[in-house]
Amino acid sequence: DKSKFNERTQGILRGMYCWRLNVYVFGGFRDYDVLNSIEKYDCIVDSWQLLNYKMPSALAKLGVCVT
């Protein structure tokens, strides 16, 4: 199933933002580690991509706001 999170960063308590048929997912927890990763879900091709960009700090239980 391509629509599952990337296995390397599958986690919980992540921030999410939807923009132009993509869902961006930031940080979260995996096992006992806090993540600084950013993933993008492409609704058209039904797949996740782990982005090369990282957040400056690892965060979980976060909110996302775009201006």
Side-chain angles (χ1 to χ4, degrees):
D1 184 1
K2 293 188 298 185
S3 63
K4 292 184 179 179
F5 282 115
N6 186 306
E7 290 298 320
R8 292 177 290 169
T9 61
Q10 187 172 15
I12 59 171
L13 301 174
R14 307 177 89 185
M16 299 180 109
Y17 172 69
C18 299
W19 187 60
R20 294 189 179 178
L21 297 175
N22 293 302
V23 177
Y24 293 87
V25 181
F26 304 88
F29 285 114
R30 185 193 66 219
D31 298 325
Y32 293 97
D33 295 324
V34 180
L35 306 172
N36 69 341
S37 60
I38 303 172
E39 290 186 63
K40 178 178 84 168
Y41 175 68
D42 186 321
C43 297
I44 302 296
V45 296
D46 187 29
S47 68
W48 285 95
Q49 176 185 3
L50 180 62
L51 301 181
N52 291 328
Y53 304 104
K54 301 285 183 198
M55 296 189 302
S57 314
L59 295 170
K61 301 181 185 177
L62 65 146
V64 177
C65 178
V66 177
T67 58

